[in-house]
Amino acid sequence: MSIQLRLNLAIALLSALGLFCMIAFILLDAKPRMEVENASTMLLTETLIKSSLLPLKDSRDPEAALVRLVTELKNLRHASVNLASRMPQGTRTKDDSESTWFSGEKNIPLPTVKVPVDVRGELVDTIVITPKPGDELAELWEAIERIFQWGVIISAVTLALTWLIINRSLRPIHALRDAMGRMEAGDFDLRVPETGPPEIKSICGSLNGLAAALQKARQENQNLTAHMIMIQDQERRDIARELHDELGPYLFAMRADGALLGRELEKSPPDLPRAMRLNDNIVAQVDLLQQTNRRVLQRLTPPGLSELGLVGALQAMVQMWRRTKSTVDIDVIANGPLDDLDETTTLTIYRIVQEGLTNAFRHSGADRIAVHLAVTTDKTHKHTDDIPDGTMIGTVEVTVRDNGTGHGTNTKEGFGLRAMRERVTALSGSFLISSNGENGTSLRVKLPATIDNRLQTVAKATEPERLTIPPGA
């Protein structure tokens, strides 16, 4: 049932209830009002009759005059005037006991007034005045019918106007429904007119804001995807160029020396000194080939990350920087099971610290750099089918802070920071760079992560919960 129909039905029920309550109140108030009306009518009629009887004393024919008087009073409303001598015999003997009252109680006699007519000391007849509640009751029912008719008409007009007003007021809701359907289909370019009542107008504005945010997010995702594809293609070209430029000559030289060595060994007798020189050349070229291969692998995967774990790899990287930049103090504090994180998060954290230290050394001119890593677990998380037992959901926070010259407001992010921001965004994390002027720059990253609780149990037996790499260690 639509909200419009519900509202109209509610208004119709309230109108009907109000109408029936009004009629019920009139009916409840009718009895005392009719009693007062009848009493007043009886008193007025009695007074009128008594004043009309005064001229009968001088009349030559009092009986005929009395009959004319009663006949003239026959048309009175709310009261019946009769002569006792001319009333039906049954009615006179029963004293009007068969009459009923509006109260609903049967066989209750109506109050009657009898006025004896004496002319010159002789009783001519008796005038009987009886109330007629039926006239008042007829007027009451007529009033109720008019009230009911006008109430129905007014209620119908009210319902029609209410239907039009509600229909007009709910038009923005229909527009919202259509807009949500289009958004569900992926159309985020729409904008809903902000019209209607303030509440609906506010909802329309919020929906427009949501559509704009989704449109912006989709555009950013498209740009991110395109940029990631560009970065992948660039990395592939760099690796292909390095393989061609570095490995190609060595492979060609090894092939040439191997061919010469083969021909030399086919001679009888072979020139052993020359064969040894060719063999030494091949071994030297293999060593150079291995160095080049190791350099390419280091670009793809940090050295020792899988063997040493995240904490060990970070410690090795910090030691390398300390040997290179001995004048700079580097403080590293790591809390939580960093070595139990998933592989993607582990590599991302390593790259964040690597990029943060590189930028601090190159651009800040700082003499002190602090790195803080912390893992917090969500104890309220419940395991689902997607997350097996023994695995916990948590958050990793990485902070790299220096006391250098600061990060200028107009400074553009380099390729490394931009790539790192896109990587963090793709992992549903947050990436923030803030500068305090001359007080240095702070890089802060938060990432969701999954923690293998089974590995954490084993690691607690051999590793401290808190790892600190002090300066100069």
Side-chain angles (χ1 to χ4, degrees):
M1 184 182 296
S2 65
I3 186 173
Q4 183 175 5
L5 183 57
R6 290 182 181 180
L7 290 175
N8 282 277
L9 287 177
I11 294 174
L13 291 176
L14 290 176
S15 300
L17 181 61
L19 182 59
F20 285 116
C21 288
M22 184 183 301
I23 294 174
F25 177 77
I26 292 174
L27 292 175
L28 291 175
D29 187 55
K31 180 181 177 181
R33 185 162 56 84
M34 290 177 66
E35 289 177 348
V36 173
E37 183 71 20
N38 285 321
S40 176
T41 301
M42 295 288 288
L43 179 61
L44 178 62
T45 304
E46 183 182 1
T47 304
L48 177 62
I49 290 174
K50 287 181 178 181
S51 62
S52 300
L53 291 176
L54 295 176
L56 291 179
K57 296 179 180 181
D58 300 330
S59 177
R60 296 179 180 179
D61 189 358
E63 292 183 5
L66 182 60
V67 170
R68 286 195 302 270
L69 175 62
V70 172
T71 302
E72 292 174 357
L73 296 177
K74 283 289 185 180
N75 296 326
L76 289 178
R77 288 178 61 83
H78 310 303
S80 175
V81 180
N82 296 287
L83 292 173
S85 61
R86 295 189 176 220
M87 292 180 66
Q89 184 68 23
T91 304
R92 183 172 62 248
T93 56
K94 292 185 179 180
D95 197 20
D96 301 318
S97 60
E98 293 182 354
S99 302
T100 59
W101 182 242
F102 177 70
S103 63
E105 299 178 6
K106 303 297 182 179
N107 300 323
I108 297 179
L110 294 174
T112 60
V113 177
K114 296 181 180 181
V115 181
V117 181
D118 293 331
V119 177
R120 293 185 289 270
E122 182 181 354
L123 179 63
V124 177
D125 208 335
T126 301
I127 298 176
V128 180
I129 306 172
T130 306
K132 294 167 59 176
D135 294 341
E136 185 70 23
L137 184 59
E139 292 181 359
L140 177 64
W141 284 115
E142 185 179 355
I144 290 175
E145 288 178 1
R146 288 198 301 268
I147 292 174
F148 182 78
Q149 292 172 358
W150 282 107
V152 171
I153 294 174
I154 294 174
S155 298
V157 174
T158 303
L159 283 176
L161 293 176
T162 305
W163 182 278
L164 292 176
I165 293 173
I166 294 176
N167 186 44
R168 185 177 182 85
S169 301
L170 293 181
R171 284 180 183 176
I173 294 183
H174 300 321
L176 286 173
R177 179 195 59 195
D178 298 338
M180 290 179 181
R182 292 173 57 187
M183 289 177 61
E184 185 179 2
D187 183 9
F188 303 133
D189 298 332
L190 59 90
R191 294 298 181 270
V192 181
E194 298 183 14
T195 58
E199 296 82 0
I200 299 180
K201 186 177 180 180
S202 175
I203 296 175
C204 292
S206 301
L207 184 65
N208 289 334
L210 176 61
L214 291 175
Q215 185 180 16
K216 181 180 178 182
R218 182 171 64 179
Q219 185 63 40
E220 290 178 351
N221 289 336
Q222 292 175 350
N223 295 337
L224 176 61
T225 302
H227 193 66
M228 291 178 64
I229 294 175
M230 183 187 69
I231 292 176
Q232 291 176 354
D233 293 341
Q234 182 64 35
E235 289 180 345
R236 292 189 182 99
R237 286 193 295 269
D238 291 343
I239 294 174
R241 182 173 58 253
E242 189 160 355
L243 291 176
H244 178 271
D245 296 341
E246 298 290 340
L247 301 184
Y250 296 139
L251 292 174
F252 177 79
M254 290 171 59
R255 181 182 179 84
D257 290 341
L260 291 175
L261 179 60
R263 286 196 296 269
E264 190 64 34
L265 293 177
E266 290 177 353
K267 294 180 181 180
S268 181
D271 189 350
L272 294 181
R274 186 182 180 188
M276 291 297 297
R277 287 195 302 273
L278 293 173
N279 182 70
D280 293 339
N281 290 338
I282 293 174
V283 172
Q285 290 163 0
V286 169
D287 292 337
L288 294 174
L289 185 62
Q290 288 180 339
Q291 295 177 8
T292 303
N293 181 65
R294 188 179 300 109
R295 187 167 62 251
V296 173
L297 292 177
Q298 288 177 357
R299 289 186 55 189
L300 298 177
T301 304
L305 185 59
S306 58
E307 294 82 4
L308 301 176
L310 178 59
V311 175
L314 290 176
Q315 191 171 10
M317 180 174 58
V318 170
Q319 296 299 337
M320 184 272 295
W321 277 112
R322 283 174 177 164
R323 288 192 298 269
T324 305
K325 301 287 185 178
S326 58
T327 59
V328 180
D329 292 335
I330 306 175
D331 299 335
V332 181
I333 298 177
N335 293 324
L338 290 169
D339 288 335
D340 301 333
L341 300 175
D342 58 279
E343 183 178 355
T344 302
T345 306
T346 299
L347 180 58
T348 302
I349 294 173
Y350 183 88
R351 293 300 189 192
I352 290 171
V353 176
Q354 185 181 48
E355 185 66 24
L357 291 176
T358 301
N359 288 333
F361 282 117
R362 288 181 179 177
H363 308 296
S364 68
D367 58 7
R368 186 176 184 86
I369 303 174
V371 180
H372 183 266
L373 302 96
V375 179
T376 57
T377 57
D378 184 4
K379 297 181 179 180
T380 63
H381 174 77
K382 296 181 180 180
H383 293 288
T384 61
D385 295 337
D386 298 333
I387 302 177
D389 293 339
T391 303
M392 300 181 64
I393 298 298
T395 303
V396 183
E397 183 174 350
V398 182
T399 303
V400 180
R401 185 181 295 108
D402 63 66
N403 63 347
T405 57
H407 184 75
T409 56
N410 297 326
T411 304
K412 294 183 178 180
E413 293 184 357
F415 177 81
L417 281 179
R418 188 167 62 251
M420 194 56 56
R421 180 187 294 275
E422 293 169 352
R423 183 181 181 93
V424 171
T425 303
L427 294 176
S428 302
S430 61
F431 187 95
L432 177 63
I433 297 179
S434 59
S435 178
N436 298 322
E438 297 181 355
N439 294 327
T441 303
S442 175
L443 169 64
R444 186 176 181 182
V445 175
K446 282 187 177 182
L447 288 171
T450 56
I451 305 169
D452 193 337
N453 215 17
R454 295 166 296 182
L455 296 177
Q456 182 180 357
T457 304
V458 178
K460 283 185 177 179
T462 57
E463 296 182 2
E465 182 180 358
R466 176 186 176 97
L467 172 68
T468 302
I469 306 177

